[in-house]
Amino acid sequence: MDESSFRQLWRSFATLIREHKDELNELDAAIGDADHGSNMDRGLTKVVDALEASPEGSLRADAKLVGMTLMGTVGGASGALWGSAMLKFAAALPDAPTVSWADFVAALDAFVQALAQRGKATVGDKTMMDVFIPMVDELQTALTAGEPPFDTVRSHAREYSERTYDMVAKRGRAAYLGERSVGHVDPGSRSSALWFEALGAVGP
Ligand SMILES: [Mg+2]
């Protein structure tokens, strides 16, 4: 992936978040505090502005800028999770204008490990991890098998997000609802699926 594709990924994600802002707020209203769409929209708008204002250099520098921006502008747990994990993603990337898919997926693995460390959530807890863990697993499997990783990201992220509908929330504000959290898609998993949709859209 080259730097212009990486920047396009964040522009696409910002556009998708904007388009789904109300939906994300409504999902969060059901099991949280109704601001996930607005929070992510505010953060991604700042990310696009920050990237625009920054001269091209490397994906690593861009990823660091994205992480710092998200951490400073997205409220709630999502800002800290996305922000800190993006900084780990940046640190795991080679400092180059173009990175291989293997390097990109390895950095995504570092992203997931950072999420796990900070959020203490795993698959089945009704969080963004229900999308990120299986998606990164699938990307790693596709790479090992020599298959195009984009087929995976296009087709499965939404499905993993939908699976959170039947789950009992174990982390975050939604966990206070216990069984009453069942019957709602987790908003963090939904926005994470949109990120993979954006990733799929910049692919070859
Ligand atoms: Mg919220």
Side-chain angles (χ1 to χ4, degrees):
M1 177 183 276
D2 63 15
E3 192 177 8
S4 77
S5 299
F6 188 69
R7 290 182 168 204
Q8 181 55 39
L9 159 65
W10 290 96
R11 280 195 297 272
S12 299
F13 185 41
T15 302
L16 284 169
I17 288 288
R18 176 69 52 88
E19 287 169 2
H20 292 266
K21 184 168 102 171
D22 293 343
E23 178 196 343
L24 293 168
N25 281 337
E26 281 159 26
L27 291 175
D28 197 23
I31 60 170
D33 54 357
D35 62 0
H36 186 64
S38 301
N39 280 340
M40 292 295 283
D41 180 44
R42 184 173 54 247
L44 269 306
T45 301
K46 294 285 185 196
V47 161
V48 169
D49 290 349
L51 288 174
E52 195 100 332
S54 168
E56 292 206 359
S58 69
L59 270 76
R60 181 196 274 184
D62 288 349
K64 193 176 169 195
L65 183 61
V66 169
M68 298 297 290
T69 307
L70 290 175
M71 206 178 272
T73 56
V74 178
S78 300
L81 287 167
W82 271 98
S84 60
M86 274 312 292
L87 294 181
K88 297 288 185 190
F89 174 94
L93 279 179
D95 197 12
T98 299
V99 303
S100 68
W101 274 106
D103 287 337
F104 187 84
V105 173
L108 264 186
D109 189 48
F111 180 98
V112 169
Q113 285 175 33
L115 284 183
Q117 207 171 18
R118 189 173 264 262
K120 315 270 185 238
T122 188
V123 169
D125 288 350
K126 200 178 181 99
T127 71
M128 63 192 290
M129 296 298 266
D130 285 302
V131 169
F132 269 99
I133 290 177
M135 287 303 293
V136 173
D137 275 355
E138 286 200 23
L139 286 170
Q140 284 170 328
T141 304
L143 269 173
T144 307
E147 290 161 5
F150 279 113
D151 290 354
T152 298
V153 296
R154 283 200 186 99
S155 56
H156 283 161
R158 178 75 190 264
E159 202 178 301
Y160 286 123
S161 170
E162 296 293 332
R163 286 186 195 176
T164 65
Y165 184 90
D166 292 322
M167 294 176 186
V168 178
K170 305 268 173 47
R171 294 282 158 199
R173 200 179 284 259
Y176 294 112
L177 295 175
E179 293 288 336
R180 281 180 294 141
S181 64
V182 174
H184 305 281
V185 168
D186 174 63
S189 77
R190 183 71 186 106
S191 54
S192 299
L194 293 174
W195 188 82
F196 282 99
E197 200 177 305
L199 179 61
V202 298

